[in-house]
Amino acid sequence: MAVRRPGAPRSPLAAVATGLAALAAAVAAWSGWSWYAAAHDGTAAYAQDRDRVLAVGEQAVQNMNTLDHADLSHGLDIWESSTTGDLHSQLVQGRAEFTKQVQQAQTVTTAKVLSGAVTELDDRAGRASVMVALRITVAAPKNTPATKEARMLAELTRTGDGWKLSALGQAPMGDSAVNP
């Protein structure tokens, strides 16, 4: 190894190596800071909440559009466990009459989620809205199953048991979406 005399010029290779080491240290510091900032940013938590709301909303809307007369009690239990508030109360109060109607009609209704989106999320207030597109098939005895596509607007409320469906309605489609 050659000894460098004081005041002698540095080799170009040593200067390049020192510069690259400094650049690598700066990139590592910036990457670490960026990772820390992203990990502690509320945006990631909000995105997780939005994804959770969408999954619960889609499942709840699908639940509310799926019912088999042969397993009616279980289906209505799922409806009730998916809901809260006034919607839940309406289901509980109307259960006996609705049971009679479905048993008489002997229908089997199934729904499949085609797509969904969160349209509003107020995490602090515990309220959210989702729009869900479904394919709904209704089969009745001696009839060909009827299939239709529908868009549903759902409101969710955060409860002690998680997000629950608090309102559900048909989304306007086509000309019905335009106010005269």
Side-chain angles (χ1 to χ4, degrees):
M1 179 166 167
V3 177
R4 185 171 150 308
R5 290 177 279 141
R10 291 179 105 182
S11 86
L13 186 55
V16 169
T18 302
L20 287 176
L23 180 63
V27 168
W30 179 80
S31 296
W33 177 83
S34 294
W35 174 83
Y36 180 84
H40 294 86
D41 184 8
T43 306
Y46 186 79
Q48 289 175 340
D49 287 344
R50 183 191 63 233
D51 292 346
R52 190 174 309 114
V53 163
L54 179 59
V56 169
E58 287 177 341
Q59 185 63 56
V61 171
Q62 181 175 327
N63 291 348
M64 296 297 293
N65 286 279
T66 300
L67 194 62
D68 184 345
H69 74 92
D71 193 15
L72 190 56
S73 181
H74 179 253
L76 293 175
D77 289 344
I78 290 173
W79 281 19
E80 290 177 13
S81 69
S82 299
T83 59
T84 190
D86 290 342
L87 179 58
H88 180 79
S89 297
Q90 290 170 6
L91 292 173
V92 171
Q93 291 170 1
R95 185 171 176 144
E97 182 61 32
F98 189 71
T99 297
K100 287 180 197 175
Q101 292 172 358
V102 173
Q103 286 175 336
Q104 186 177 16
Q106 295 185 336
T107 55
V108 176
T109 306
T110 55
K112 178 184 177 192
V113 173
L114 302 175
S115 65
V118 175
T119 59
E120 179 184 355
L121 174 57
D122 185 343
D123 190 45
R124 290 183 180 154
R127 290 189 318 258
S129 299
V130 297
M131 180 182 283
V132 180
L134 298 168
R135 179 171 294 125
I136 302 169
T137 303
V138 179
K142 301 178 186 174
N143 290 336
T144 303
T147 300
K148 71 174 186 171
E149 292 185 0
R151 289 186 306 177
M152 307 295 290
L153 294 174
E155 292 180 19
L156 291 100
T157 301
R158 187 175 47 234
T159 70
D161 294 329
W163 291 94
K164 302 273 185 166
L165 196 62
S166 53
L168 181 64
Q170 190 84 24
M173 295 177 71
D175 292 338
S176 65
V178 178
N179 293 329

